[in-house]
Amino acid sequence: MAFLANRGLRIQLAKQYCYVIGYSRSFSFLINGTPVLEGAAGCFAFDRNQENIRQSDNILQEVTSVCQILEGSSWSPSLESALSRFDEKPHSELIIGVLRRLKDVNLAVNYFRWVERETKQAHSPEVYNMLLMVMAWSRNFEYLEQILEEMSIAGYGPSNDSCIELVVTCVKTKKLREAFGLIQTMRKFKFRPAFSAYTTLIGALSTINEADLMLKLFQQMQDLGYEVSVHLFTTLIRIFAREGRVDAALSLLDEMKSNSFHADIVLYNVCIDCFGKVGKVDMAWKFFHEMKARGFVPDEVTYTSMIGVLCKANRLDEAVQLFEQMDMNSKVPCAYAYSTMIMGYGSAGKFTEAYNLLERQRLRGSIPGVIAYNSLLTCLKKKGMVDEALRIFEEMKNDAAPNLLTYNILIDMFCSRGKCEAALEIRDTMKSAGLFPNVLTVNIMIDRLCKAQKLNEACSIFEEMDHKLCTPDSVTFCSLIDGLGRHGRVDDAYRLYERMLDSDRVPDAIVYTSLIKNFFKSGRKEDGHKIYKEMVSRGVAPDLLLLNTYMDCVFKAGETEKGRALFLEIKNQAFVPDVRSYSIFIHGLTKAGFARETYELFYAMKEQGCILDTLAYNTVIDGFCKSGKVNKAYQLLEEMKVTGHEPTVVTYGSVIDGLARIDRLDEAYMLFEEAKSKDVQLNVVVYTSLVNGFGKVGRIDEAYLILEELMQKGFTPNVYTWNSLLDALVKAGEIDEALVCFNSMENMNCTPNFISYSILINGLCKVEKFNKAFVFWQKMQKQGFKPNIITYTTMISGLAKAGNIIEAERLFERFKANGGIPDSACYNTMIEGLSIGNRAMEAYHLFEETRSKGCNIYTKTCVVLLDALHKSECLEQAAIVGAVLREIAKSRHASRSL
């Protein structure tokens, strides 16, 4: 009897023969030089031999004894001593038997090394391969590279079985990148991985659309001399085509033809379906005609795929023509083709044609199935035809029993419109039909109710879940957490996140992205930072979307340096910043006043190969305009048009504003007219940029025309528009017109802000209408606006010049009492006012205060004060002022000499 100490293996002893049947794990070893078992599963018979049976029994006992020692305690010198007490030296059959029983890789490696030391001999290839099997079964590859390196040096190689087992283990646990790494490690040591290992992994990678990894494995197979098949080419072409990577897919097709492989109907069907679905309809047509030219007869899959492609591309007439051609040549109607055509009619809103097709299917002896009705209901849902959908649902029951998808479509339709009661009625109908809501049903209800802002109803659905029959999954938690957070209920969202942790669900990056974004949105940035730290401490790896979102939140919260650090963090996390990363970074720096850095970042983005989208173009153009690089912004606007990205109101607005700021108003206006000619919906911001630009250079009439056009378009000028016009009128000395403008502003329910009052007060003071200015000053304060130093200085100066020194002094003292720090202009104005008002000593004391504060004294101020002091016979003070006046004169003379 052969020794086989492995679970899943059964030993059957008969009088004449001993059969060994392997159910799962394959291995091979030798007894007396004779192969006993080879392959994943097998049945071998050998002659009854008493000597062999006795040897096998002895080995079995030894294996059991060794395993009892090994599994009794952790590895230690005493354990090694216990192993050394065996009479027999370890041999291959014993080592393999022991390794096969061990579940712990660390223990297996320790035993493996101990045997080496004990026997002072290298292990056999069979022992090495058994150790690889242990790694595969335990899913622990910590020592894999080390063992493979030793095997390479010894001239051994992994067996096909161990290679396949290693890959299959990773595939079963969905660790496909680890499986890819295993094969690359084998290639590193020049091993030849098994053919089945490659094909198994390529097939698994196709389910998660890892096209580049698949292609690398495929190329390795060819380099190793493995004969690839049309089926493998088809698998790769399908994935590349689905991802829209048409050039790569076509390159594979050319390679296949150059290797003398001929496409079969399956490959043609795949090309028609995949190329068509990514919008390459003409290419799909090409494959359709090519296959017919090659002698292939299109089957139902071919026709249905092509019909579906045409319907999706809104080429309904061609789809109908093809469908009629197929239906005419078919003895039995293809139910799937009918469903596809019904879906096409429904998507185009041609429900009469869709209903006629249903009836035609019945007349041809084929009862429309649940797929046809679900297709129709899906289209009615998209069009919002609720009552019609319910009518079709009732009609459907005569032909086909509604399935779970049917009910989910209806529930989705009602929940999307916030009709919670109707959705619950459908759910009850489903239960009465013997179908019970699954987690997908619940997820649909919660997600749609959250989007319809029916948060209480969504929470009720969650709480009413029967966790024995339908357990919430990560999507359930994520939808509700995001829904609560987006509508300001961030504390409820966080409590639900804690419940998710308690239920042993591991939150992914999507959940953390939602929490971070919504905490920041609610103004609780510290909690947002806390969530990120918590995510890192739990070992959840952020994805690029999370880091981009976090960076965006940080910049919007005004934490510019933190935003910079997060951009570097993206690179530290081994991500390549995408166009959104750069857009957020550039926009954040521009808003923080660092627009000059836009230029370098733009070229870094270009060098990295980022393809700019409309948002990225707008962000970069805005940054260039704000940093004064208007010509570069204009070039990018033109580039945007060439690359097929239509400029938006944001694009035009940025460049128009940039041109207006540097007085290139004619160009700005031409761009303004271009935008209108392209039906770009311009907003108040764009009009305001032009009003401000024309007003700033004194082209008041044109500013008025822009304002008039703005109002004719149905827009209401905002406070910034009015302030631009007010400022222009004041600078042009048109103060009466400015007062009319101010009144118009109030009449149009646009409340003046602090800047509006400041502009008008300054204008009134300039034309010496001080009393009128003081009226607006008092009105501004009644509105709750706090004047700044410029407004205070303007008003104080105006009152002083008007001879109202009492009010000027009162205002000056109030300014200081409110924490204001007068500047040189403010001090000099008050000194002059007091001097003119025959209050020479008070003026002198303020003169001394001005000097002690380090503010400059003007020459004119000294002359006015000196004259006042002489009149009041304050000769000592006059002497000091005179000395200061002479110092000012000397200083100016010295400056001129230099």
Side-chain angles (χ1 to χ4, degrees):
M1 183 182 72
F3 156 67
L4 290 169
N6 179 48
R7 61 189 173 190
L9 295 173
R10 182 172 62 199
I11 300 175
Q12 296 183 339
L13 294 177
K15 290 182 179 179
Q16 300 297 325
Y17 297 94
C18 177
Y19 295 97
V20 183
I21 302 173
Y23 284 97
S24 58
R25 298 171 181 164
S26 61
F27 65 97
S28 65
F29 60 87
L30 305 175
I31 293 181
N32 296 333
T34 304
V36 174
L37 181 64
E38 183 70 33
C43 178
F44 298 91
F46 50 87
D47 293 334
R48 185 175 181 182
N49 185 305
Q50 294 297 328
E51 183 63 29
N52 284 349
I53 293 172
R54 193 179 303 110
Q55 286 180 6
S56 298
D57 285 340
N58 290 338
I59 293 171
L60 181 59
Q61 290 173 6
E62 289 177 12
V63 168
T64 303
S65 300
V66 170
C67 288
Q68 286 174 348
I69 294 171
L70 290 174
E71 294 172 353
S73 59
S74 58
W75 196 270
S76 64
S78 60
L79 186 144
E80 290 186 10
S81 298
L83 290 173
S84 300
R85 284 197 287 272
F86 280 101
D87 294 333
E88 293 288 333
K89 274 194 171 184
H91 48 83
S92 290
E93 293 91 335
L94 173 61
I95 300 165
I96 290 171
V98 171
L99 289 176
R100 178 172 289 281
R101 284 196 182 185
L102 296 178
K103 299 177 181 177
D104 185 346
V105 167
N106 293 317
L107 190 58
V109 170
N110 281 329
Y111 176 69
F112 181 85
R113 296 300 182 202
W114 174 81
V115 170
E116 283 181 331
R117 295 193 299 272
E118 188 72 12
T119 62
K120 296 180 181 175
Q121 292 181 351
H123 287 293
S124 67
E126 291 79 14
V127 173
Y128 271 105
N129 274 291
M130 182 51 66
L131 185 57
L132 293 179
M133 286 289 199
V134 176
M135 292 178 185
W137 299 333
S138 62
R139 300 168 186 169
N140 186 333
F141 307 116
E142 182 181 353
Y143 301 99
L144 178 69
E145 187 166 346
Q146 178 186 341
I147 296 301
L148 289 176
E149 185 177 8
E150 288 181 24
M151 293 178 75
S152 176
I153 293 169
Y156 305 152
S159 67
N160 283 349
D161 290 337
S162 59
C163 179
I164 293 168
E165 189 70 26
L166 285 164
V167 170
V168 168
T169 297
C170 290
V171 169
K172 285 180 179 177
T173 55
K174 301 189 184 305
K175 295 183 176 180
L176 304 186
R177 285 190 171 271
E178 286 84 344
F180 179 82
L182 289 175
I183 287 184
Q184 300 316 305
T185 303
M186 290 182 194
R187 291 297 303 127
K188 176 182 174 183
F189 296 111
K190 310 301 180 186
F191 295 134
R192 180 186 173 91
F195 179 88
S196 293
Y198 276 110
T199 55
T200 300
L201 183 52
I202 287 173
L205 288 168
S206 70
T207 63
I208 59 170
N209 296 335
E210 285 283 3
D212 292 323
L213 298 186
M214 291 169 64
L215 183 59
K216 187 167 184 178
L217 292 172
F218 182 74
Q219 290 168 342
Q220 280 184 9
M221 289 181 73
Q222 292 174 305
D223 293 341
L224 290 170
Y226 283 128
E227 186 176 344
V228 295
S229 62
V230 173
H231 173 70
L232 271 176
F233 273 108
T234 302
T235 302
L236 263 76
I237 290 166
R238 176 189 285 116
I239 297 305
F240 277 107
R242 278 182 182 171
E243 290 185 359
R245 298 168 67 177
V246 177
D247 291 339
L250 291 175
S251 177
L252 281 165
L253 277 170
D254 292 338
E255 183 183 340
M256 187 187 78
K257 291 175 183 176
S258 67
N259 288 339
S260 300
F261 286 107
H262 298 293
D264 56 15
I265 192 166
V266 174
L267 178 55
Y268 276 115
N269 287 344
V270 165
C271 289
I272 289 168
D273 183 59
C274 295
F275 281 105
K277 283 180 177 174
V278 295
K280 304 294 180 180
V281 184
D282 292 334
M283 194 171 288
W285 260 129
K286 172 184 169 292
F287 284 115
F288 182 82
H289 293 303
E290 183 182 307
M291 72 179 289
K292 292 172 74 176
R294 289 278 311 279
F296 292 107
V297 178
D299 59 12
E300 290 180 347
V301 175
T302 316
Y303 277 109
T304 305
S305 296
M306 196 66 229
I307 290 165
V309 165
L310 292 168
C311 288
K312 186 179 177 182
N314 297 321
R315 292 164 67 166
L316 194 61
D317 292 340
E318 293 171 82
V320 171
Q321 186 179 353
L322 198 61
F323 174 79
E324 294 297 343
Q325 178 185 327
M326 172 194 175
D327 200 41
M328 182 176 63
N329 296 326
S330 301
K331 293 181 181 179
V332 178
C334 174
Y336 188 52
Y338 269 88
S339 298
T340 304
M341 198 63 242
I342 287 167
M343 185 78 165
Y345 278 130
S347 298
K350 296 187 174 184
F351 291 105
T352 302
E353 288 85 344
Y355 299 152
N356 290 339
L357 203 56
L358 273 176
E359 186 59 31
R360 176 172 156 185
Q361 186 177 352
R362 289 192 196 94
L363 293 174
R364 289 207 60 194
S366 174
I367 303 299
V370 68
I371 295 175
Y373 279 104
N374 285 348
S375 299
L376 196 50
L377 287 171
T378 300
C379 295
L380 291 167
K381 176 179 78 74
K382 288 179 180 177
K383 301 293 182 183
M385 300 170 69
V386 179
D387 294 334
E388 185 65 10
L390 288 174
R391 187 187 71 77
I392 292 297
F393 173 65
E394 293 301 324
E395 181 184 309
M396 172 186 185
K397 296 174 184 177
N398 298 324
D399 291 331
N403 62 10
L404 195 57
L405 177 59
T406 313
Y407 287 105
N408 282 346
I409 292 168
L410 293 171
I411 288 170
D412 187 359
M413 180 170 58
F414 284 119
C415 288
S416 297
R417 285 154 183 76
K419 296 183 177 181
C420 186
E421 293 300 323
L424 292 175
E425 286 178 17
I426 293 293
R427 184 190 64 178
D428 295 338
T429 305
M430 181 196 316
K431 289 179 180 178
S432 63
L435 296 171
F436 291 93
N438 59 7
V439 70
L440 177 61
T441 314
V442 174
N443 288 348
I444 289 171
M445 294 181 77
I446 288 174
D447 181 66
R448 303 304 185 269
L449 287 170
C450 285
K451 287 175 179 174
Q453 300 186 34
K454 300 275 186 177
L455 297 175
N456 292 332
E457 290 86 344
C459 290
S460 297
I461 297 289
F462 179 83
E463 296 299 339
E464 290 170 7
M465 287 181 73
D466 186 343
H467 288 216
K468 292 180 181 178
L469 297 174
C470 180
T471 306
D473 60 10
S474 297
V475 176
T476 321
F477 280 104
C478 185
S479 295
L480 194 50
I481 287 169
D482 187 58
L484 290 167
R486 276 189 292 112
H487 295 96
R489 293 171 59 174
V490 287
D491 291 322
D492 291 336
Y494 188 78
R495 279 191 286 271
L496 190 60
Y497 157 74
E498 290 178 324
R499 284 180 64 178
M500 185 179 185
L501 295 175
D502 293 339
S503 67
D504 294 329
R505 297 282 177 192
V506 180
D508 58 11
I510 298 173
V511 173
Y512 284 108
T513 302
S514 172
L515 288 169
I516 290 169
K517 177 180 66 178
N518 291 319
F519 269 119
F520 269 93
K521 186 180 174 184
S522 300
R524 294 166 61 175
K525 66 179 184 179
E526 294 305 322
D527 288 322
H529 291 312
K530 179 183 171 185
I531 292 293
Y532 182 76
K533 291 175 184 175
E534 188 173 330
M535 179 195 74
V536 173
S537 68
R538 289 187 176 278
V540 178
D543 59 12
L544 185 57
L545 175 63
L546 183 145
L547 291 169
N548 283 343
T549 302
Y550 189 25
M551 179 169 63
D552 188 40
C553 291
V554 163
F555 271 120
K556 285 176 179 175
E559 296 182 308
T560 308
E561 294 310 311
K562 178 71 176 174
R564 288 182 189 273
L566 277 170
F567 186 77
L568 295 176
E569 179 69 11
I570 289 173
K571 296 180 179 179
N572 295 337
Q573 291 280 353
F575 292 114
V576 177
D578 62 5
V579 67
R580 175 164 160 73
S581 311
Y582 278 104
S583 296
I584 291 168
F585 192 35
I586 291 170
H587 183 71
L589 291 176
T590 301
K591 290 293 182 185
F594 298 97
R596 293 190 177 277
E597 297 180 39
T598 301
Y599 195 76
E600 291 179 9
L601 286 169
F602 169 68
Y603 280 102
M605 179 166 49
K606 283 272 193 178
E607 286 174 13
Q608 190 178 295
C610 288
I611 299 173
L612 276 68
D613 56 13
T614 302
L615 176 63
Y617 271 112
N618 287 347
T619 304
V620 176
I621 285 170
D622 185 55
F624 278 146
C625 289
K626 285 186 167 61
S627 61
K629 295 183 175 68
V630 182
N631 288 336
K632 188 64 186 173
Y634 215 131
Q635 288 173 14
L636 271 184
L637 174 64
E638 294 303 317
E639 179 186 308
M640 194 175 178
K641 298 173 190 174
V642 172
T643 54
H645 295 86
E646 285 300 322
T648 66
V649 61
V650 177
T651 325
Y652 281 109
S654 296
V655 182
I656 288 169
D657 185 63
L659 290 167
R661 285 177 185 274
I662 57 174
D663 299 341
R664 289 165 60 177
L665 289 159
D666 293 330
E667 292 172 80
Y669 189 76
M670 285 173 62
L671 207 57
F672 173 74
E673 290 295 328
E674 177 188 306
K676 289 193 293 183
S677 70
K678 291 188 175 182
D679 293 325
V680 176
Q681 297 300 311
L682 299 176
N683 55 25
V684 176
V685 177
V686 179
Y687 281 96
T688 300
S689 295
L690 285 174
V691 170
N692 185 54
F694 281 119
K696 189 172 61 174
V697 296
R699 295 165 67 173
I700 308 295
D701 291 342
E702 286 158 292
Y704 263 117
L705 287 172
I706 297 294
L707 181 66
E708 185 180 348
E709 182 180 322
L710 181 153
M711 290 188 283
Q712 285 175 350
K713 292 285 185 181
F715 294 119
T716 302
N718 60 28
V719 67
Y720 303 105
T721 318
W722 287 113
N723 286 349
S724 297
L725 190 58
L726 269 177
D727 189 53
L729 291 167
V730 165
K731 285 176 179 175
E734 300 284 351
I735 194 64
D736 292 332
E737 192 65 31
L739 288 168
V740 172
C741 180
F742 191 89
N743 290 332
S744 299
M745 181 179 181
E746 291 183 308
N747 292 336
M748 294 184 70
N749 297 320
C750 181
T751 305
N753 62 8
F754 162 73
I755 296 171
S756 313
Y757 282 103
S758 298
I759 291 169
L760 198 56
I761 289 167
N762 181 53
L764 289 165
C765 288
K766 276 186 177 180
V767 296
E768 298 185 358
K769 293 188 175 182
F770 303 115
N771 292 333
K772 188 73 172 175
F774 192 62
V775 171
F776 279 99
W777 168 272
Q778 291 173 320
K779 187 176 179 181
M780 177 177 69
Q781 290 184 303
K782 285 180 182 178
Q783 295 292 330
F785 297 121
K786 290 184 177 180
N788 62 10
I789 187 169
I790 296 172
T791 317
Y792 265 109
T793 303
T794 302
M795 198 63 245
I796 290 166
S797 175
L799 290 168
K801 286 177 181 177
N804 194 347
I805 194 63
I806 295 173
E807 284 295 338
E809 187 179 20
R810 188 181 299 162
L811 206 58
F812 182 73
E813 293 302 326
R814 188 192 305 168
F815 175 49
K816 291 196 289 183
N818 290 336
I821 300 173
D823 60 3
S824 297
C826 194
Y827 272 116
N828 280 273
T829 296
M830 275 304 301
I831 292 169
E832 288 181 34
L834 290 168
S835 300
I836 293 169
N838 298 320
R839 296 167 62 180
M841 282 306 296
E842 291 174 67
Y844 178 77
H845 291 315
L846 198 57
F847 170 83
E848 290 294 334
E849 182 182 326
T850 304
R851 293 175 65 202
S852 67
K853 297 288 184 181
C855 294
N856 293 327
I857 300 291
Y858 302 159
T859 302
K860 180 187 175 185
T861 305
C862 287
V863 171
V864 173
L865 176 58
L866 191 62
D867 185 55
L869 289 169
H870 278 299
K871 286 180 181 179
S872 301
E873 297 183 356
C874 301
L875 301 180
E876 184 179 346
Q877 288 79 10
I880 294 172
V881 173
V884 170
L885 185 60
R886 286 191 294 273
E887 285 297 323
I888 293 172
K890 285 181 184 178
S891 176
R892 287 190 176 179
H893 179 72
S895 297
R896 287 171 186 168
S897 298
L898 287 172

